[in-house]
Amino acid sequence: MSNLLLSYMSHKIIEITSQQTLPIRHQVMWPNKPLDFVKLINDDNGLHYGLVLNNEIISVISLFIDDGEIQFRKFATLTNHQGKGYGSLLLNEIIQVAIKKSASKIWCNARVSKLKYYQKFQMMPTDHTFVTGEIDYVIMERLF
Ligand SMILES: CC(C)(COP(=O)(O)OP(=O)(O)OC[C@H]1O[C@@H](n2cnc3c(N)ncnc32)[C@H](O)[C@@H]1OP(=O)(O)O)[C@@H](O)C(=O)NCCC(=O)NCCS
């Protein structure tokens, strides 16, 4: 068995609370802001998933369902675990969740720097782009 397969064997993806997402959101995305900065106003209405590796949550993502459309937000993997495929495992899982929930589409506000990454998951860029805090974003979506 390859090392890559072995390293994936101890992971699992579970539903978590919004509170459990906060430390990773904070560390990865906005470490210099107060913890409250990474809370979303509608966190209580979201579904939150975590990838657990050796009893530690290392990657998180939050889903918000509105009128049959699912938006994912605050997707983050702990820095020392990035680039090992864990985020992709989590994203693939939540795409399956969207399909099981008969969503019409899944979408996100993607940093333009992540466009190619999301295209690997059959997400397509839309014409809708915007800039926030000097970061360029594009709305990406996958229709089901
Ligand atoms: C975006 C993010 C959540 C992805 O999580 P991740 O766990 O690093 O995701 P993966 O490891 O599956 O993929 C990351 C890269 O590693 C590559 N990769 C995946 N498995 C790999 C492996 N076994 N070996 C080497 N590279 C691998 C992927 O192809 C991908 O490359 P790309 O960015 O050039 O397309 C993570 O980078 C992150 O937290 N970023 C900061 C927060 C952020 O930007 N969030 C998204 C806002 S739109």
Side-chain angles (χ1 to χ4, degrees):
M1 195 179 292
S2 73
N3 284 342
L4 190 60
L5 271 178
L6 273 176
S7 68
Y8 288 160
M9 283 182 68
S10 54
H11 90 273
K12 61 184 172 184
I13 292 170
I14 57 168
E15 206 172 323
I16 59 176
T17 63
S18 64
Q19 286 294 325
Q20 288 174 291
T21 68
L22 300 181
I24 296 187
R25 287 183 187 175
H26 186 235
Q27 277 179 55
V28 176
M29 293 174 149
W30 298 102
N32 300 323
K33 303 269 186 188
L35 187 69
D36 274 0
F37 188 80
V38 297
K39 289 182 183 164
L40 295 171
I41 201 155
N42 57 345
D43 260 341
D44 286 347
N45 303 326
L47 288 174
H48 309 275
Y49 291 88
L51 186 143
V52 179
L53 186 69
N54 301 328
N55 292 322
E56 183 195 13
I57 300 173
I58 61 146
S59 186
V60 296
I61 198 164
S62 299
L63 304 190
F64 298 91
I65 307 176
D66 184 18
D67 203 17
E69 299 181 354
I70 296 187
Q71 179 186 15
F72 67 84
R73 299 188 68 184
K74 302 287 181 208
F75 178 32
T77 299
L78 285 178
T79 318
N80 57 331
H81 288 291
Q82 287 179 12
K84 298 176 184 171
Y86 294 116
S88 299
L89 291 170
L90 188 54
L91 194 49
N92 273 322
E93 181 67 24
I94 62 106
I95 289 170
Q96 292 310 310
V97 169
I99 291 169
K100 278 196 199 113
K101 290 190 179 295
S102 304
S104 56
K105 74 174 174 186
I106 189 160
W107 68 279
C108 70
N109 295 323
R111 293 179 187 208
V112 169
S113 59
K114 284 281 155 202
L115 188 143
K116 285 208 164 65
Y117 178 70
Y118 290 123
Q119 281 180 323
K120 294 180 193 171
F121 301 87
Q122 289 89 54
M123 298 196 62
M124 306 295 290
T126 65
D127 293 338
H128 194 142
T129 59
F130 59 98
V131 181
T132 303
E134 295 183 358
I135 297 175
D136 289 321
Y137 289 87
V138 55
I139 293 186
M140 297 190 67
E141 63 182 20
R142 174 169 163 182
L143 306 178
F144 297 117

